[in-house]
Amino acid sequence: MSLFPFAFLDEQSKKEIRRAVLKGVAIPGYQVPFASREMPIGRGWGTGGLQITLSLIGESDVLKVIDQGSDESVNAVNIKKLVQKTTGVETTIHTSEATMIQSRHRIPEVPLRNDQIMILQVPEPEPLRHVERSEFKTKQMHAEKEYSGAYLLLFEQIMRYNQTSQGADYPVFVHDRYVMNPSPIPRFDNPKIHQSEALMLFGAGREKKIYAVPAYTKVKSLAFDDYPFEIEKFEGKFCRATGLSNVFLDEFTDEETGETYYLCNDTSYMQEYLDQKRGI
Amino acid sequence: MGYVAVTGGKEAIEASLQHLTYERVKHGEWIDVKTIKATMRGFLDQVMSESSLYSESLAAIAMKQSEGNVEEAVFLLRAHRSTLPRLYYSTVTDPRDMLVIRRVSASFKDIPGGQILGPSYDYLHRLIDFSLITETEQDVRRKKVEFESIEVPEESSLPLEKLPKVMDYLRKEGLIQNLPVNDEQPDDVTKESLTFPSSRSERLQILTRGQTGAVVSFGYAGLRGYGSSHPNVGEVRVGYQPIHIQIDDEDEYYIGSIKLTEVESFIPANVSENGKEVLEFDIGYGACFGQNETKAIAMSILDHALENPENTPIHDEEFVLLHIDTVESTGFISHLKLPHYVTFQSKLEQIRKIKREGARK
């Protein structure tokens, strides 16, 4: 596709985005506004992550794209196809082989390394949006480290349900300074951001924000002393294919028997596990 | 296996794309991009305006590719913009230099240079013209020659590329505040993220790029109870606006003309003059690519509404500016079609747990 520049975006745009990324790295958890470009995929389909990927990717990179835990879901395939078409880089489904991983809603089960970059797509970057609808005011609240609203949301949930009802996108405190939405990863994945070896970048295309958690950074999920943070528990459940129970599981119904069964949500991890077991 | 699966997504996408192409070609008919460019003026103008990319040729290709779907055509052009370097800003251009093809005032009957109706649907009886079914190339050529042979009476003493503005007349009368000219370089919303409170240049850019339907709807809402900017259209002008760029300190280069619709609306406003309350006219401004009069008028209502914040959505800049963009609104709405298995699973587990363990008594 010689009609388009390498990695689709023009060089000035890539440079601008890289500068926003650097600022994000320098101020962990702070939402850096950036001039989000229109991309050839839907605004809200991962254009923030895609712009980060395209502005950082080089010819020697190996890219993995995940959507909902799967490398083969339509959106993952589509994004991978676009990056490959405009850069010619290699892609992989194996987490350990990738230098860059763009993801929607999951952090892989395989631990990441410090030579890898994790790029998360973010639909709603503002953790205070449910408390305050005005962008102008939430920006002020961040500046003043005014996070009582974020705690109040959790408190209200506890008052109502005797526990927090927040599913995915459970807010975290980054380096004791900024409260951040981790992208709608399940709570299960929140602990993986804490002291992660890999750099974590967050891109919200439609909301025009980039933020980052540098490697080896303290990241704590919001909670109360008497109501500590808890991840999803799949007690007594295990993956039908691998027998694993310490991973995030997807729920399926057997069409013939009507029985409920579970499979690893991280499908490449499941495949690697099975291959290893079979001795491939 | 399906939508999200260990493998198989690739084949499913390929098949879907093949099916899409088939839908475009299944009748065995085709349309030339040149034909689209020559005959689909309204479509091209709307698409160019919403994509903020002025190219009739690209818009025509996008229309063919998108099978006439405006949302898709704009999407294609906006994405294409991202592949283009942004090298220059044009120099300040004065709409008084526009080569006018249409210009009407709803405020003054007698304006210097006169009312120029130009091409407009306003006075057309909207009855379906069934003769178009059998219109041939010959008919088209004949109609073209007929129009071109009409003798134009030379009545207007004023040249069409130097028509004065209706607003200048009110200004001379002292009925409009004489505000200082602001020729500062605008904040470019395509290169800087919008922050609030926004600058007027940012607001005008977002309004002009806004989805036509959304801008019109919000303008309409402002008019009928959700705002207090009820305008009188001072002047609607449509024409060709010359554009120049400046490369060095000395030379300005003419790079072409773009078709533009410009609207100036008058809105009565209380102002304080020497400690006394008096009534004056405020101005609401609208301008967009192509001939897009409804949109430009609606834009002028919203421009004024946003200049004068009030406690109603139409006067709320965040409400208006963050929601009228076509790529952003359609993109996020359509993302709901993507699988949400992980988030849903997480919520499901949480809801079941709450149901099982019960809420606090």
Side-chain angles (χ1 to χ4, degrees):
Chain A
M1 291 301 278
S2 55
L3 271 173
F4 300 111
F6 177 82
F8 187 74
L9 294 167
D10 73 282
E11 289 305 319
Q12 292 99 317
S13 297
K14 285 189 270 191
K15 189 170 153 191
E16 280 174 35
I17 294 163
R18 285 196 293 267
R19 289 177 67 167
V21 168
L22 285 173
K23 185 167 176 182
V25 170
I27 319 171
Y30 171 73
Q31 299 168 52
V32 183
F34 84 111
S36 180
R37 303 296 201 250
E38 287 89 352
M39 301 307 290
I41 66 165
R43 193 84 145 181
W45 292 53
T47 55
L50 184 60
Q51 288 177 80
I52 294 179
T53 299
L54 290 173
S55 60
L56 298 184
I57 202 161
E59 278 166 356
S60 59
D61 274 308
V62 180
L63 178 72
K64 174 182 165 77
V65 183
I66 314 166
D67 189 287
Q68 302 284 309
S70 171
D71 295 80
E72 296 290 341
S73 88
V74 283
N75 204 34
V77 171
N78 230 8
I79 287 173
K80 209 159 27 180
K81 200 167 125 187
L82 178 71
V83 179
Q84 204 172 20
K85 199 165 156 184
T86 55
T87 61
V89 299
E90 251 182 82
T91 62
T92 182
I93 67 159
H94 300 292
T95 302
S96 59
E97 285 174 9
T99 59
M100 296 173 89
I101 303 163
Q102 180 172 337
S103 174
R104 175 168 174 260
H105 301 187
R106 275 315 303 282
I107 294 172
E109 304 288 0
V110 180
L112 302 173
R113 300 183 311 264
N114 62 10
D115 60 341
Q116 294 177 309
I117 298 177
M118 180 81 214
I119 299 155
L120 284 149
Q121 305 169 189
V122 184
E124 280 150 13
E126 182 48 70
L128 301 171
R129 185 59 71 235
H130 292 291
V131 186
E132 172 53 62
R133 69 177 174 176
S134 164
E135 171 72 19
F136 179 63
K137 287 183 189 147
T138 51
K139 214 168 150 56
Q140 271 182 339
M141 290 160 88
H142 282 289
E144 291 163 4
K145 209 179 172 184
E146 166 49 43
Y147 290 127
S148 48
Y151 282 101
L152 197 61
L153 280 183
L154 296 178
F155 178 73
E156 280 173 356
Q157 292 170 1
I158 290 169
M159 287 316 288
R160 209 165 288 153
Y161 312 119
N162 202 22
Q163 57 193 297
T164 61
S165 64
Q166 187 79 28
D169 220 357
Y170 193 104
V172 293
F173 227 115
V174 182
H175 203 65
D176 298 323
R177 177 59 186 87
Y178 286 102
V179 167
M180 171 191 105
N181 263 4
S183 136
I185 53 172
R187 282 168 293 146
F188 189 87
D189 287 342
N190 273 22
K192 294 177 187 162
I193 315 175
H194 175 62
Q195 296 294 340
S196 157
E197 291 203 13
L199 167 64
M200 302 244 174
L201 301 176
F202 300 80
R206 187 181 45 84
E207 294 281 340
K208 306 178 187 72
K209 302 280 172 58
I210 284 173
Y211 49 104
V213 175
Y216 311 109
T217 299
K218 184 176 162 194
V219 175
K220 216 175 148 233
S221 301
L222 300 193
F224 300 98
D225 290 345
D226 49 347
Y227 284 88
F229 171 74
E230 272 187 356
I231 60 169
E232 292 91 344
K233 291 207 180 82
F234 299 95
E235 276 155 11
K237 292 157 194 158
F238 53 86
C239 169
R240 187 156 90 169
T242 60
L244 291 169
S245 58
N246 57 340
V247 292
F248 196 86
L249 295 171
D250 277 337
E251 193 171 316
F252 295 89
T253 305
D254 194 309
E255 278 179 30
E256 279 172 22
T257 63
E259 221 179 322
T260 302
Y261 68 96
Y262 298 86
L263 287 174
C264 292
N265 168 260
D266 183 341
T267 51
S268 77
Y269 180 66
M270 180 164 80
Q271 197 177 326
E272 282 167 3
Y273 186 88
L274 292 174
D275 288 350
Q276 209 180 8
K277 219 167 140 190
R278 288 196 213 101
I280 299 171
Chain B
M1 228 167 103
Y3 209 35
V4 172
V6 177
T7 55
K10 206 170 178 175
E11 285 82 358
I13 289 180
E14 287 308 322
S16 169
L17 293 179
Q18 279 168 4
H19 196 159
L20 186 66
T21 306
Y22 176 69
E23 286 295 322
R24 189 171 67 79
V25 300
K26 69 179 177 189
H27 295 292
E29 295 283 341
W30 66 287
I31 189 165
D32 201 318
V33 170
K34 274 191 293 190
T35 311
I36 296 172
K37 196 175 157 185
T39 61
M40 299 285 151
R41 199 170 53 88
F43 176 88
L44 300 177
D45 283 355
Q46 185 178 336
V47 164
M48 290 192 304
S49 174
E50 290 182 22
S51 43
S52 56
L53 177 66
Y54 194 92
S55 167
E56 289 176 346
S57 305
L58 286 175
I61 301 171
M63 179 187 194
K64 179 166 178 171
Q65 194 178 333
S66 68
E67 301 171 77
N69 182 324
V70 178
E71 187 178 309
E72 274 300 314
V74 172
F75 192 168
L76 284 166
L77 291 185
R78 284 272 195 105
H80 186 75
R81 284 176 82 250
S82 298
T83 68
L84 308 172
R86 292 155 209 192
L87 300 176
Y88 302 103
Y89 291 106
S90 73
T91 55
V92 175
T93 184
D94 187 345
R96 287 175 187 80
D97 299 334
M98 179 191 278
L99 173 61
V100 170
I101 60 167
R102 170 167 161 78
R103 177 230 204 193
V104 291
S105 173
S107 302
F108 296 100
K109 207 177 355 177
D110 194 17
I111 47 175
Q115 312 260 2
I116 301 166
L117 300 191
S120 172
Y121 292 104
D122 289 352
Y123 327 101
L124 175 75
H125 294 139
R126 268 73 162 211
L127 304 170
I128 289 187
D129 182 356
F130 290 100
S131 76
L132 291 180
I133 301 172
T134 52
E135 187 182 50
T136 62
E137 202 182 327
Q138 267 178 328
D139 294 332
V140 170
R141 286 181 201 285
R142 179 177 46 78
K143 287 173 190 170
K144 175 174 145 64
V145 171
E146 271 173 19
F147 182 82
E148 285 172 352
S149 62
I150 297 170
E151 269 185 52
V152 188
E154 282 194 32
E155 270 179 17
S156 173
S157 53
L158 295 163
L160 292 177
E161 64 274 11
K162 277 286 173 205
L163 285 178
K165 293 258 210 136
V166 172
M167 198 179 64
D168 294 341
Y169 176 75
L170 281 186
R171 191 166 276 150
K172 225 183 286 170
E173 298 250 314
L175 296 172
I176 287 182
Q177 275 185 308
N178 231 340
L179 296 169
V181 173
N182 179 352
D183 282 344
E184 271 172 41
Q185 189 151 302
D187 300 315
D188 183 347
V189 295
T190 71
K191 301 192 86 178
E192 295 288 340
S193 184
L194 183 65
T195 53
F196 297 104
S198 61
S199 66
R200 182 145 183 264
S201 65
E202 289 172 323
R203 288 203 290 274
L204 291 173
Q205 284 168 72
I206 290 170
L207 289 171
T208 191
R209 282 154 57 91
Q211 189 165 24
T212 308
V215 174
V216 170
S217 293
F218 283 0
Y220 170 57
L223 208 56
R224 62 170 292 284
Y226 289 84
S228 51
S229 298
H230 198 116
N232 224 81
V233 171
E235 183 174 353
V236 176
R237 55 164 68 188
V238 180
Y240 294 91
Q241 183 70 33
I243 303 292
H244 297 80
I245 54 168
Q246 189 154 20
I247 293 172
D248 45 50
D249 288 343
E250 287 171 14
D251 300 315
E252 260 196 12
Y253 296 91
Y254 170 74
I255 57 166
S257 289
I258 57 173
K259 199 204 277 171
L260 213 61
T261 303
E262 192 200 36
V263 169
E264 276 159 344
S265 292
F266 303 135
I267 298 136
N270 278 314
V271 280
S272 175
E273 207 172 70
N274 306 327
K276 270 196 304 185
E277 284 279 292
V278 291
L279 206 56
E280 267 193 6
F281 286 114
D282 270 355
I283 293 172
Y285 187 78
C288 56
F289 285 163
Q291 187 170 2
N292 254 313
E293 298 170 23
T294 319
K295 181 181 182 180
I297 295 167
M299 179 179 165
S300 75
I301 297 170
L302 293 173
D303 168 44
H304 183 264
L306 299 182
E307 275 284 305
N308 298 276
E310 276 176 33
N311 195 18
T312 151
I314 302 310
H315 288 260
D316 179 335
E317 60 174 355
E318 292 198 22
F319 180 79
V320 173
L321 299 181
L322 291 180
H323 300 120
I324 59 173
D325 191 88
T326 177
V327 168
E328 272 147 41
S329 54
T330 62
F332 205 52
I333 294 281
S334 70
H335 113 283
L336 297 173
K337 289 181 283 187
L338 285 175
H340 281 74
Y341 310 141
V342 167
T343 35
F344 190 70
Q345 184 72 50
S346 181
K347 193 83 210 170
L348 200 58
E349 189 265 351
Q350 197 60 245
I351 286 176
R352 281 183 182 146
K353 192 156 173 276
I354 288 168
K355 277 214 151 181
R356 202 168 51 236
E357 294 172 8
R360 174 179 284 233
K361 297 275 150 50

